[in-house]
Amino acid sequence: MFSALIISGVAWFATFFSIYWLPFARVPLSSDFFLLAILAPVDFLFGSLCLLVACINHGLLFRAIVQTNVRAEVKVLSLLGWLSPAVLVVFSIKVVALVFCMSVIYGILSMKGKEQQKGY
């Protein structure tokens, strides 16, 4: 149960810092954000690493929500942690939508990988 709180805290802060560091998170969707990624490579690197950490941790929370052998209170905490970046839509809807989509994909792929390891 405590690990769900730690994972959700790390995931929320990683999402926040990816919005803060990614150069194109705060500009409208246009060809200018490619130029910003080229002109600010360090910011792009830190933002991408934060985005990766956010997607992996949100994927772990999604997996805890979907699995059947997890206690109910862990599922509730995982659901709250998985939905917590929704408040960051105010800053950048692009990054938050990307985090949610990538977390679902990572959660599903990691569940399939575990099933294949067990031999189901």
Side-chain angles (χ1 to χ4, degrees):
M1 187 162 76
F2 188 66
S3 64
L5 290 174
I6 292 174
I7 290 172
S8 21
V10 168
W12 192 88
F13 280 108
T15 306
F16 175 77
F17 283 121
S18 68
I19 291 172
Y20 177 74
W21 267 320
L22 278 175
F24 52 82
R26 295 171 301 279
V27 297
L29 197 59
S30 66
S31 61
D32 293 341
F33 66 82
F34 289 121
L35 184 63
L36 285 172
I38 293 170
L39 293 176
V42 175
D43 291 343
F44 183 73
L45 176 70
F46 284 141
S48 300
L49 289 175
C50 287
L51 188 67
L52 178 70
V53 169
C55 291
I56 289 173
N57 284 323
H58 277 94
L60 293 174
L61 291 170
F62 179 76
R63 192 172 70 185
I65 294 168
V66 175
Q67 285 180 341
T68 57
N69 59 351
V70 179
R71 296 187 322 211
E73 57 268 8
V74 174
K75 282 190 181 220
V76 169
L77 285 175
S78 297
L79 180 64
L80 290 175
W82 189 69
L83 292 175
S84 66
V87 297
L88 295 174
V89 167
V90 175
F91 300 115
S92 176
I93 193 167
K94 294 180 288 193
V95 174
V96 173
L98 183 68
V99 165
F100 280 129
C101 292
M102 295 299 290
S103 70
V104 169
I105 292 170
Y106 178 77
I108 290 171
L109 289 177
S110 65
M111 283 189 301
K112 293 289 182 189
K114 287 217 178 242
E115 288 176 1
Q116 289 176 354
Q117 284 178 352
K118 290 181 181 178
Y120 290 115

